[in-house]
Amino acid sequence: MIKGIDHIVILVKDLVQASADYATLGFTVVPGGEHTGGATHNALVTFADGSYLELIAFKREAPEHRWWHHTVDKGEGLIDFALLPTDIENDLLAARQRGLEFEGPFPGGRERPDGQQIKWQTGAPLTPDLPFLCADVTPRELRVPAGDAWLHPNGVSGIAKLAVEVHDLPASVDRYSALLGFDSTTEELGAIFKLGSTILELLRAKAKLEGPHSLTLRSTHPVEFDHKLTQGVLLSAVVASV
């Protein structure tokens, strides 16, 4: 069973600058470290609802990496997102039994700046409209900082809505239903899946690429984001509790 959104991936050119920009936007930004293989490094913005934003940048050319093509096709901004499974082996098996092809699980990891090694497993979709799965091997609190990291001056406490653009809406709705194990609510412009307190909205794509389009966060008070600092992310907030 899928628990909810694990994290949102934001591709940036310069991790130091992006971290400073997000701090200026009122977020507490925590250095993440370098991923296994050395192609990428990241910084995290974690929320009280258990989700987080991953600011990720390439340290070298890496055409073999699943996200490298975004550096040419899209540039900075939202490029992917991960769902958190209860048991990745069983959740992948259940999705396959519902007719969805999904690869994995594959090992992954990174080294934090303090030297702590973190390990996880991922499941990879075969189509770009779907998210990947990310499951912890080492304790989750090592990968996703809590406590003071949740305290953001802008009052943000979690993800209210993620909008995802897809080319073939009926086909994507079927694939998401197979992955999540439940049906969507159909709307005039798209389809809605409710993941805990977060809305996952599928929309017909207007752009060349499929994938996450815009992100709405939940805050304790009104906040507006300067989009010159969001690294290409269409970012907004609504006032709501966790």
Side-chain angles (χ1 to χ4, degrees), residues 6-7 32-36 40 42 44 52 54 56 67 88 105-112 117-123 132-140 142-144:
D6 183 76
H7 68 279
E34 182 177 294
H35 291 97
T36 301
T40 55
N42 69 4
L44 311 179
Y52 67 94
E54 177 184 20
I56 188 168
W67 293 326
I88 192 167
F106 303 110
R110 63 178 159 89
E111 181 178 336
R112 295 193 325 197
Q117 296 290 332
I118 304 169
K119 296 181 180 180
W120 58 76
Q121 291 181 309
T122 59
F132 64 103
L133 302 185
C134 186
D136 294 287
V137 174
T138 49
R140 181 173 175 78
L142 297 181
R143 177 170 68 95
V144 189

Side-chain angles (χ1 to χ4, degrees), residues 166-229:
V166 300
H167 288 152
D168 186 337
L169 183 60
S172 290
V173 168
D174 287 345
R175 284 193 283 265
Y176 271 83
S177 295
L179 176 59
L180 298 172
F182 58 88
D183 293 330
S184 67
T185 300
T186 302
E187 295 194 340
E188 183 178 354
L189 299 178
I192 295 291
F193 290 91
K194 192 74 181 296
L195 295 174
S197 61
T198 301
I199 292 173
L200 182 60
E201 182 179 28
L202 303 188
L203 302 171
R204 297 184 190 277
K206 297 178 181 179
K208 174 184 175 182
L209 297 179
E210 297 182 279
H213 170 260
S214 61
L215 180 62
T216 304
L217 302 177
R218 188 180 298 106
S219 180
T220 56
H221 57 263
V223 57
E224 292 187 7
F225 298 111
D226 182 349
H227 284 93
K228 295 191 297 293
L229 301 177

